[in-house]
């Protein structure tokens, strides 16, 4: 039968947030809409849940998971930030993943092979509210089998349903017919002072590069 599906009309906003937070705190995997594509989230500090996300997606264990936070202020707890706060606020919340040096606060079992971590603050009120209600960061990845297309409706990741604790149906994200809408967030490494390196062009490349180069004078690093 699969997990409970929360349609927009049947459950109120507060009930849906509470259901998502409860499922996450119980170690579950929850599918959620974001500002780019559908995602699967778990608690980043829960090592068992992190392992579950990798097995769900058939994901290469050397591919890192991003963390998701509700607000820019919380970023300093899990990352060493060497860019101005104003730069963070120019890009976040939004369809950008910022890669920064990770702090000691972050679960050692999350991406143990790298000293960096990607941070997402999606410009989507639901996932931000869920992230705020959880004590630590969420681990977030796209709701699809690794190497398959990212998903813009809940029906597109039906093969994952049996393995999820909860699915939040936020309706279609963006234009389901447009390939650009499936690109996911723009991933940019800001861990080297004065430089930026584009790791994945994603859906917000032009505006992100413009802000980094013109407003903050960062120069492209070598990828």
């Amino acid at each position: 039968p699969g997990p409970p599906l929360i349609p927009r009309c049947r459950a109120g906003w507060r009930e849906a947030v509470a259901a998502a937070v409860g499922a996450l705190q119980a170690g579950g995997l929850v599918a959620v809409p974001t500002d780019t594509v559908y995602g699967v989230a778990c608690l980043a500090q829960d090592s068992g849940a992190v392992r579950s996300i990798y097995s769900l997606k058939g994901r290469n264990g050397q591919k890192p998971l991003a963390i998701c936070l509700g607000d820019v202020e919380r970023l300093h707890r899990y990352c060493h930030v060497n860019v101005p706060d104003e730069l963070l606020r120019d890009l976040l919340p939004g369809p950008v993943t910022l890669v920064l040096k990770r702090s000691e606060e972050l679960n050692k079992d999350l991406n143990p092979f790298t000293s960096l971590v990607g941070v997402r603050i999606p410009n989507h009120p639901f996932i931000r509210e869920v992230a705020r209600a959880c004590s630590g960061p969420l681990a977030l990845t796209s709701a699809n089998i690794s190497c398959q297309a990212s998903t813009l409706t809940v029906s597109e990741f039906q093969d994952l349903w049996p393995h999820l604790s909860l699915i939040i149906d936020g309706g279609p994200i963006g234009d389901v017919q447009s390939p650009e809408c499936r690109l996911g967030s723009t991933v940019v490494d800001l861990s080297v002072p004065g430089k930026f390196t584009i790791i994945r062009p994603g859906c917000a490349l032009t505006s992100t590069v413009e802000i980094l180069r013109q407003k903050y004078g960062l120069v492209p690093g070598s990828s």
Side-chain angles (χ1 to χ4, degrees), residues 163-199:
H163 309 289
L164 300 169
S165 300
L166 185 69
I167 296 162
I168 302 294
D169 184 356
I173 298 172
D175 177 0
V176 178
Q177 301 305 317
S178 159
E180 283 76 42
C181 281
R182 296 183 191 271
L183 291 173
S185 63
T186 294
V187 183
V188 57
D189 185 338
L190 295 177
S191 63
V192 178
K195 296 192 171 168
F196 71 91
T197 303
I198 300 297
I199 295 174

Side-chain angles (χ1 to χ4, degrees), residues 83-158:
V83 293
D85 222 45
E86 192 188 354
L87 184 157
L88 300 178
R89 290 174 191 283
D90 278 344
L91 296 176
L92 303 174
V96 183
T97 301
L98 300 185
V99 177
L100 300 160
K101 287 218 169 8
R102 59 190 284 160
S103 81
E104 291 297 304
E105 288 273 333
L106 204 55
N107 180 3
K108 305 282 182 293
D109 291 334
L110 183 82
N111 315 332
F113 45 82
T114 174
S115 59
L116 305 176
V117 66
V119 185
R120 273 281 269 136
I121 303 178
N123 191 13
H124 192 289
F126 185 83
I127 191 170
R128 288 185 69 194
E129 192 159 329
V130 170
R132 284 188 192 113
C134 294
S135 55
L138 305 178
L140 183 65
T141 182
S142 53
N144 56 324
I145 303 284
S146 276
C147 302
Q148 292 186 5
S150 51
T151 55
L152 301 176
T153 67
V154 295
S155 60
E156 290 180 346
F157 57 89
Q158 261 175 346

Side-chain angles (χ1 to χ4, degrees), residues 2 7 13 22 30 45 50 53 65 67 69 75-76 78-79 85 92 129 132 136 138 148 152 160 184 206:
W13 179 274
V30 175
Q45 307 295 71
V50 167
I53 274 198
L65 291 174
I67 62 169
L69 301 168
L75 199 138
H76 295 273
Y78 302 104
C79 306
D85 222 45
L92 303 174
E129 192 159 329
R132 284 188 192 113
L138 305 178
Q148 292 186 5
L152 301 176
L160 302 185
T206 309

